Amino acid sequence: MSTTKSKTNLHIVAYPFPSAGHIIPLLDLTHLLLTRGLNVTVLVTPSNVHLLEPYLSTHPSSLKHLVLPALVPDITPTPPHKRLLAIMRALRDLHYPFLLQWFQSHPSPPVAIISDFFLGWTHHLACELKVPRLCFSPSGAFGMSVAFSMCRDPPKNNDPGEDINFQISLPMVPNSPTYPWWQIPPYYRNDLEADPDWEFHRNSMLANFESWGIVFNSFASLESVYFDHLKREVGHNRVWAVGPVLPLEGDVIGSATRGGASSVPCHKLMMWLDARLDNSVVYVCFGSRAVLTSKQLNVLATALECSGVHFILCARVPDDQGSILDGFRDRMGDRGLVIKGWAPQVTILRHRAVGSFLTHCGWNSVLEGLISGVVMLTWPMGAEQFTNALLLVDQLSVAIRTGEGTENIPDSNELARLLVVSLDKIKPQNVRAKELSDAALSAVKGGSSDKDLDELIKQLADIKKLE
């Protein structure tokens, strides 16, 4: 992306949702804004301050941070989706009055707020402060279109306990996607309508579409039909696609240590990859949050073992299943590497030896796979990942479907076959992977994403002039 720095005197606040998969892309966008001369204050909770380190050292004068009060540790409702809703509400209750006081007492307050889509309540804060609020979506435009549709008209199933394959259709979304009931995130279902946390989440998500603008970590040619759709839905053109915002090769922000430390040092990973042939390694990762069940883990390990492919496996497993992973690692020897915890995913995917990527289809992983030009194998686990898999397989033809959550666990022999097939360099998906990689790079090197980011800054500057 363009790195021409011209001082704008614009001061904005960036407020990520306090989870690594949400914080890092908004920090990457912040980095791009800083290179264009803006001043940014990042709002961060105490446990995530370390994620700022590479950005603070790169922008020592224009990047500030404000440490927000930490949530009390007793927000532990089950099931997991209830925990997410409770955290979202608790953040509002704790941070709204704190931020209101901070803004009102600041000698040179920010002229805009850009905040994660899980923080839709900041739209109301921005209205009280009389500043524009930008919703930042770490998910794609297709996923956001689906979320908007489900928030506006919550999916209904008269027998959700029995008919988990009941088909939900979204005819107002382009391409009319359909989903079996079990793929609908619980926080969008009509059976929770009496729950105050559910209602808070719904109103918070709808507030995203009432905000002054929406910024996507995506690029125009990847999801053009959905960007057009969202502009019609919100009734204006302040919908910007500025991604992929992840650092380009050689950028210090893209160092292997960003986001956390790996159980396998990066230099050892690179040495192992350097000894492999081009496009000969399958990288397997299900993100930083998904925990594989024992059945999923056994199928995956068996498939990798039977396939004969070289691989890097990064997966979270229940504490009582660690011995399965340890025994598997011992049997595989030098044919594969097993990483526990965080993996330097961007660095791994960019290596010439990696030819395919078995992924849970989180949006960060989708973009990292696309820009690296590798073929993807999809095994979504939850949330908008099923939508992202639809995009990759059925609409972009850049990926191969393997599994779906715990309901459609692939046969280990079939999965082993697909792992081998994914490294075949003459597949149609290889051609599409190269095309989309080129399109992503073009977008951020003077193309549509660069232009959208410049236009976003121009419109913010115009607002500042009117003050």
Side-chain angles (χ1 to χ4, degrees):
M1 284 195 171
S2 168
T3 57
T4 302
K5 189 160 185 173
S6 57
K7 203 63 178 173
T8 64
N9 293 319
L10 281 176
H11 176 205
I12 69 167
V13 152
Y15 183 9
F17 184 76
S19 173
H22 290 247
I23 295 172
I24 291 174
L26 186 48
L27 290 180
D28 286 340
L29 174 58
T30 296
H31 170 58
L32 297 175
L33 294 170
L34 291 163
T35 61
R36 282 165 161 77
L38 274 70
N39 295 294
V40 183
T41 299
V42 174
L43 311 179
V44 63
T45 50
S47 61
N48 292 307
V49 171
H50 68 283
L51 295 174
L52 279 169
E53 290 172 2
Y55 305 88
L56 288 167
S57 60
T58 305
H59 306 282
S61 61
S62 52
L63 176 60
K64 309 296 181 187
H65 69 287
L66 175 66
V67 180
L68 298 170
L71 289 178
V72 291
D74 61 349
I75 302 176
T76 55
T78 55
H81 73 272
K82 287 289 291 177
R83 177 174 172 79
L84 172 62
L85 299 184
I87 288 173
M88 291 169 66
R89 194 171 187 177
L91 286 170
R92 191 275 312 268
D93 293 345
L94 184 62
H95 291 168
Y96 192 117
F98 179 86
L99 290 172
L100 185 64
Q101 192 277 331
W102 179 79
F103 264 86
Q104 290 174 339
S105 62
H106 198 289
S108 179
V111 299
I113 299 170
I114 180 167
S115 56
D116 190 276
F117 68 2
F118 276 166
L119 304 169
W121 56 266
T122 55
H123 165 64
H124 305 295
L125 172 67
C127 289
E128 185 168 355
L129 293 168
K130 295 182 173 54
V131 298
R133 183 256 173 162
L134 290 152
C135 168
F136 175 70
S137 175
S139 294
F142 185 15
M144 194 66 140
S145 299
V146 168
F148 187 30
S149 177
M150 289 185 180
C151 282
R152 189 173 48 192
D153 301 302
K156 294 178 173 55
N157 181 354
N158 293 328
D159 194 8
E162 295 295 327
D163 193 0
I164 64 170
N165 288 310
F166 179 77
Q167 293 294 302
I168 297 296
S169 177
L170 305 178
M172 301 303 292
V173 177
N175 297 310
S176 301
T178 60
Y179 304 87
W181 181 255
W182 65 268
Q183 289 185 6
I184 304 298
Y187 39 79
Y188 291 130
R189 298 176 183 175
N190 70 305
D191 52 351
L192 287 175
E193 285 182 348
D195 186 293
D197 284 335
W198 181 91
E199 190 63 34
F200 170 77
H201 171 258
R202 180 171 184 257
N203 290 334
S204 186
M205 290 299 289
L206 290 173
N208 290 324
F209 296 90
E210 298 168 7
S211 295
W212 182 75
I214 309 177
V215 185
F216 283 91
N217 184 18
S218 184
F219 56 102
S221 62
L222 184 70
E223 304 182 276
S224 58
V225 65
Y226 300 107
F227 287 118
D228 292 341
H229 167 72
L230 286 170
K231 288 175 182 177
R232 290 192 298 271
E233 291 290 292
V234 299
H236 57 74
N237 289 326
R238 294 187 300 277
V239 176
W240 295 282
V242 301
V245 296
L246 64 147
L248 298 176
E249 202 160 0
D251 192 325
V252 66
I253 295 296
S255 68
T257 57
R258 81 191 200 113
S262 169
S263 63
V264 179
C266 192
H267 72 275
K268 289 188 177 180
L269 276 170
M270 293 302 104
M271 286 176 60
W272 186 86
L273 285 169
D274 287 344
R276 302 296 176 273
L277 298 174
D278 290 2
N279 303 300
S280 66
V281 175
V282 178
Y283 173 55
V284 182
C285 184
F286 293 92
S288 59
R289 302 191 67 83
V291 178
L292 299 184
T293 65
S294 58
K295 184 175 181 180
Q296 289 172 322
L297 179 59
N298 277 307
V299 164
L300 180 60
T302 301
L304 286 167
E305 190 166 354
C306 293
S307 69
V309 301
H310 295 281
F311 65 88
I312 295 174
L313 169 63
C314 179
R316 295 182 66 202
V317 300
D319 293 338
D320 60 353
Q321 301 296 320
S323 59
I324 295 177
L325 212 51
D326 292 336
F328 170 68
R329 180 175 51 198
D330 293 341
R331 291 195 307 276
M332 293 301 93
D334 196 46
R335 182 156 72 81
L337 291 178
V338 176
I339 299 174
K340 293 182 178 180
W342 189 266
Q345 182 160 288
V346 173
T347 304
I348 291 170
L349 286 170
R350 284 175 174 166
H351 196 283
R352 56 160 184 81
V354 176
S356 63
F357 178 19
L358 175 53
T359 172
H360 69 310
C361 301
W363 191 249
N364 291 330
S365 292
V366 166
L367 290 178
E368 288 161 8
L370 285 173
I371 206 164
S372 300
V374 298
V375 170
M376 285 180 269
L377 299 140
T378 66
W379 192 343
M381 295 291 171
E384 90 288 1
Q385 296 158 18
F386 300 107
T387 296
N388 296 341
L390 278 177
L391 180 72
L392 292 172
V393 177
D394 298 333
Q395 298 180 29
L396 298 176
S397 302
V398 72
I400 301 167
R401 184 176 285 108
T402 59
E404 292 176 314
T406 56
E407 293 297 321
N408 293 329
I409 297 176
D411 172 77
S412 57
N413 290 325
E414 174 62 8
L415 181 55
R417 184 187 72 82
L418 291 174
L419 291 170
V420 174
V421 166
S422 71
L423 296 175
D424 177 358
K425 293 190 285 293
I426 62 172
K427 298 182 311 307
Q429 289 89 351
N430 278 89
V431 176
R432 286 294 291 148
K434 180 63 168 63
E435 289 173 350
L436 286 170
S437 175
D438 290 345
L441 288 169
S442 294
V444 298
K445 292 182 174 180
S448 62
S449 293
D450 254 357
K451 292 181 173 66
D452 265 22
L453 189 56
D454 288 339
E455 178 60 25
L456 163 60
I457 294 170
K458 178 182 178 297
Q459 292 206 32
L460 286 174
D462 289 344
I463 291 175
K464 172 69 173 174
K465 290 175 186 174
L466 294 174
E467 290 185 347

